[in-house]
Coordinates of all heavy atoms in Angstrom, one line a residue:
F49 N 1.6 6.5 -8.5 CA 2.9 6.7 -9.0 C 3.3 8.2 -8.7 O 4.5 8.4 -8.3 CB 2.9 6.5 -10.5 CG 4.3 6.5 -11.2 CD1 5.4 5.9 -10.5 CD2 4.5 7.1 -12.4 CE1 6.6 5.9 -11.1 CE2 5.7 7.1 -13.0 CZ 6.8 6.5 -12.4
L119 N 11.9 9.9 -12.6 CA 10.6 9.3 -13.0 C 10.9 7.9 -13.6 O 10.3 6.9 -13.3 CB 9.9 10.2 -14.0 CG 8.5 9.8 -14.4 CD1 7.7 11.1 -14.8 CD2 8.5 8.9 -15.7
D120 N 11.9 7.8 -14.5 CA 12.2 6.6 -15.2 C 12.7 5.6 -14.2 O 12.5 4.4 -14.3 CB 13.1 6.8 -16.4 CG 12.5 7.5 -17.5 OD1 11.2 7.3 -17.7 OD2 13.1 8.1 -18.3
R123 N 9.9 4.0 -12.1 CA 9.1 3.1 -12.7 C 9.3 1.6 -12.3 O 8.4 0.9 -12.0 CB 9.2 3.1 -14.3 CG 8.7 4.4 -14.9 CD 9.0 4.2 -16.4 NE 8.9 5.5 -17.1 CZ 7.8 6.1 -17.5 NH1 6.6 5.5 -17.3 NH2 7.8 7.3 -18.1
G124 N 10.6 1.3 -12.3 CA 11.0 -0.1 -11.9 C 10.6 -0.4 -10.5 O 10.3 -1.6 -10.2
V126 N 8.1 0.7 -8.7 CA 6.6 0.5 -8.6 C 6.2 -0.8 -9.3 O 5.3 -1.5 -8.9 CB 5.9 1.8 -9.1 CG1 4.4 1.5 -9.0 CG2 6.2 3.0 -8.3
I127 N 6.9 -1.1 -10.4 CA 6.6 -2.3 -11.1 C 6.9 -3.5 -10.2 O 6.2 -4.5 -10.2 CB 7.4 -2.4 -12.4 CG1 6.8 -1.5 -13.5 CG2 7.4 -3.8 -13.0 CD1 7.6 -1.3 -14.7
Q128 N 8.0 -3.4 -9.4 CA 8.3 -4.4 -8.4 C 7.2 -4.5 -7.4 O 6.9 -5.6 -6.9 CB 9.7 -4.2 -7.8 CG 10.8 -4.4 -8.7 CD 12.2 -4.0 -8.1 OE1 12.5 -4.7 -7.1 NE2 12.9 -3.1 -8.6
I130 N 4.1 -3.8 -7.7 CA 2.9 -4.5 -8.3 C 3.1 -6.0 -8.4 O 2.3 -6.8 -8.1 CB 2.7 -3.9 -9.8 CG1 2.2 -2.4 -9.7 CG2 1.6 -4.7 -10.5 CD1 2.2 -1.7 -11.0
A131 N 4.4 -6.3 -8.8 CA 4.7 -7.8 -8.9 C 4.6 -8.5 -7.5 O 4.1 -9.6 -7.4 CB 6.1 -8.0 -9.4
N134 N 1.0 -9.0 -6.7 CA 0.4 -10.1 -7.4 C 0.9 -11.5 -6.9 O 0.3 -12.5 -7.3 CB 0.7 -9.9 -8.9 CG -0.1 -8.8 -9.5 OD1 -1.1 -8.3 -9.0 ND2 0.5 -8.2 -10.6
P162 N -2.0 -1.3 -13.5 CA -1.3 -2.4 -14.2 C 0.2 -2.0 -14.5 O 0.5 -0.8 -14.8 CB -2.1 -2.6 -15.5 CG -2.7 -1.3 -15.8 CD -2.9 -0.6 -14.4
A163 N 1.1 -3.0 -14.5 CA 2.5 -2.7 -14.8 C 2.7 -2.1 -16.2 O 3.6 -1.3 -16.4 CB 3.3 -4.0 -14.7
E164 N 1.8 -2.5 -17.2 CA 2.0 -1.9 -18.5 C 1.8 -0.4 -18.6 O 2.4 0.2 -19.4 CB 1.1 -2.7 -19.5 CG -0.4 -2.6 -19.2 CD -0.8 -3.9 -18.4 OE1 0.1 -4.5 -17.7 OE2 -1.9 -4.3 -18.6
H165 N 1.0 0.1 -17.7 CA 0.9 1.6 -17.7 C 2.2 2.2 -17.2 O 2.6 3.2 -17.8 CB -0.2 2.0 -16.7 CG -1.6 1.8 -17.3 ND1 -2.8 2.2 -16.6 CD2 -2.0 1.3 -18.5 CE1 -3.8 1.9 -17.3 NE2 -3.4 1.4 -18.5
L166 N 2.8 1.6 -16.3 CA 4.2 2.1 -15.8 C 5.2 2.0 -16.9 O 6.0 2.9 -17.1 CB 4.6 1.4 -14.6 CG 4.1 1.8 -13.2 CD1 4.6 3.2 -12.9 CD2 2.7 1.7 -13.0
R167 N 5.1 0.9 -17.6 CA 6.1 0.7 -18.7 C 5.9 1.6 -19.9 O 6.9 2.1 -20.5 CB 6.1 -0.8 -19.1 CG 6.5 -1.8 -18.1 CD 6.8 -3.1 -18.7 NE 7.1 -4.1 -17.7 CZ 6.2 -5.0 -17.2 NH1 4.9 -4.9 -17.6 NH2 6.5 -5.8 -16.3
D168 N 4.6 1.8 -20.3 CA 4.4 2.3 -21.6 C 3.7 3.7 -21.7 O 4.0 4.4 -22.7 CB 3.4 1.3 -22.4 CG 4.0 -0.1 -22.4 OD1 5.3 -0.2 -22.5 OD2 3.2 -1.1 -22.4
T169 N 2.9 4.1 -20.8 CA 2.1 5.2 -21.0 C 2.2 6.4 -20.1 O 1.7 7.5 -20.3 CB 0.6 4.8 -21.0 OG1 0.2 4.3 -19.7 CG2 0.3 3.7 -22.1
F170 N 2.9 6.2 -18.9 CA 3.0 7.3 -17.9 C 4.1 8.2 -18.3 O 5.3 8.0 -17.8 CB 3.1 6.7 -16.5 CG 1.9 6.2 -15.9 CD1 0.7 6.2 -16.6 CD2 1.9 5.6 -14.7 CE1 -0.5 5.6 -16.1 CE2 0.7 5.1 -14.1 CZ -0.5 5.1 -14.8
T171 N 3.8 9.2 -19.1 CA 4.8 10.2 -19.4 C 4.8 11.3 -18.3 O 3.8 11.5 -17.5 CB 4.6 10.9 -20.7 OG1 3.3 11.6 -20.6 CG2 4.5 9.8 -21.8

Side-chain angles (χ1 to χ4, degrees):
F49 191 39
L119 186 152
D120 286 335
R123 291 182 197 274
V126 178
I127 287 170
Q128 291 178 61
I130 293 169
N134 292 336
E164 54 266 29
H165 283 183
L166 274 297
R167 293 192 185 97
D168 304 329
T169 63
F170 284 0
T171 65

